[in-house]
Amino acid sequence: MKSNKKKPQRTKQLQKYKRETQSSEIDALQKELQVTKEKLEEQLHEEISTRADLIQFKKENEEILQHNQALTKEQRHLKTRHQALTVEKQQLEAQLRSETDLIHQIKQANKELAENRAAFLDILTNQKQLLEEISEEHEAQRITLQQKENDIRAVVRERDYFKGRYEKMMNTKMMKWTGKYWTIRKKIISHSK
């Protein structure tokens, strides 16, 4: 009988052991599954990140290509501008040479002008008295003209004053005559009825 009792107990222990080993295996498999999931998620995130980086690199590459094309275009433009400026520089150098010649001619003309000015000043000093008399006569005429202008302004002010008074007086007379006309007309109309 003792052996019969031990067998169910052993079976229970075996079953319990099997359950524990199965549950520990399940736990281990679940942990391994969780680790695998995490690794897959990391790989997925890395893949997404890599694809996003790839897309960004493609955009940056396109921008760099566009910028490079713009720089190439600008370089061509600058080359043509440089050629145009070189031609313009050569023209300016030729113009500078002709202007240098012109400056020498101007210096010569200034020298002649200085000589003529000196001669003119000599003539002016000789004619100084005549010029002073003309200047005095001119000043007297200017003063007389100023006085006449002042007199004319006074006459214009006086005329405007009297014109205003005349217009006021005429307006008053017209109002009186108009009033008398309507009064007489009313009387005539009232008598004729």
Side-chain angles (χ1 to χ4, degrees):
M1 280 199 165
K2 282 186 174 178
S3 65
N4 282 342
K5 281 185 178 178
K6 284 186 177 180
K7 278 190 176 182
Q9 203 175 16
R10 270 189 173 182
T11 329
K12 284 181 183 178
Q13 285 176 349
L14 279 175
Q15 286 176 350
K16 185 178 179 183
Y17 175 75
K18 280 183 182 179
R19 274 187 262 148
E20 286 175 0
T21 53
Q22 282 179 352
S23 97
S24 65
E25 283 179 6
I26 290 173
D27 287 342
L29 287 174
Q30 283 180 345
K31 284 181 184 176
E32 191 177 320
L33 181 65
Q34 184 67 28
V35 169
T36 309
K37 277 184 180 179
E38 289 174 1
K39 285 182 181 179
L40 282 175
E41 284 179 3
E42 284 180 20
Q43 286 178 352
L44 181 65
H45 286 301
E46 286 179 12
E47 182 70 25
I48 290 171
S49 174
T50 306
R51 285 186 182 180
D53 289 343
L54 181 63
I55 291 170
Q56 183 178 355
F57 288 145
K58 282 182 180 180
K59 285 181 181 177
E60 287 177 3
N61 190 25
E62 288 175 8
E63 289 175 3
I64 290 171
L65 285 174
Q66 289 175 353
H67 184 68
N68 191 16
Q69 289 173 350
L71 288 176
T72 306
K73 187 177 181 180
E74 186 176 348
Q75 182 184 16
R76 278 190 238 118
H77 173 70
L78 289 175
K79 279 184 181 179
T80 56
R81 177 89 174 124
H82 176 71
Q83 290 172 350
L85 288 174
T86 305
V87 170
E88 187 176 344
K89 178 186 170 193
Q90 292 171 351
Q91 291 173 348
L92 288 174
E93 287 174 349
Q95 184 179 357
L96 181 64
R97 281 188 228 108
S98 65
E99 286 177 359
T100 306
D101 294 339
L102 185 61
I103 288 171
H104 289 300
Q105 292 174 359
I106 289 172
K107 284 182 181 177
Q108 185 65 31
N110 282 340
K111 186 177 177 183
E112 291 174 8
L113 183 63
E115 292 170 359
N116 290 339
R117 188 178 297 143
F120 180 71
L121 287 176
D122 289 338
I123 292 170
L124 275 181
T125 53
N126 293 337
Q127 301 295 327
K128 184 178 182 181
Q129 185 180 3
L130 179 63
L131 288 173
E132 286 176 353
E133 289 173 6
I134 291 172
S135 176
E136 289 172 2
E137 186 179 319
H138 175 67
E139 186 64 27
Q141 287 177 353
R142 189 186 65 76
I143 291 170
T144 307
L145 182 64
Q146 187 70 34
Q147 288 174 350
K148 287 183 180 180
E149 281 182 10
N150 290 339
D151 292 342
I152 289 172
R153 285 190 187 118
V155 169
V156 167
R157 272 188 254 120
E158 190 176 327
R159 183 198 58 157
D160 289 343
Y161 171 74
F162 285 117
K163 185 177 177 185
R165 285 195 56 182
Y166 173 77
E167 286 176 358
K168 281 183 183 178
M169 184 177 69
M170 288 306 291
N171 283 341
T172 305
K173 284 185 179 181
M174 288 298 289
M175 293 295 283
K176 284 181 184 176
W177 280 105
T178 305
K180 285 181 182 178
Y181 166 78
W182 286 107
T183 307
I184 294 170
R185 184 166 179 205
K186 277 185 187 176
K187 284 181 184 178
I188 292 173
I189 291 174
S190 65
H191 286 296
S192 62
K193 287 185 181 181

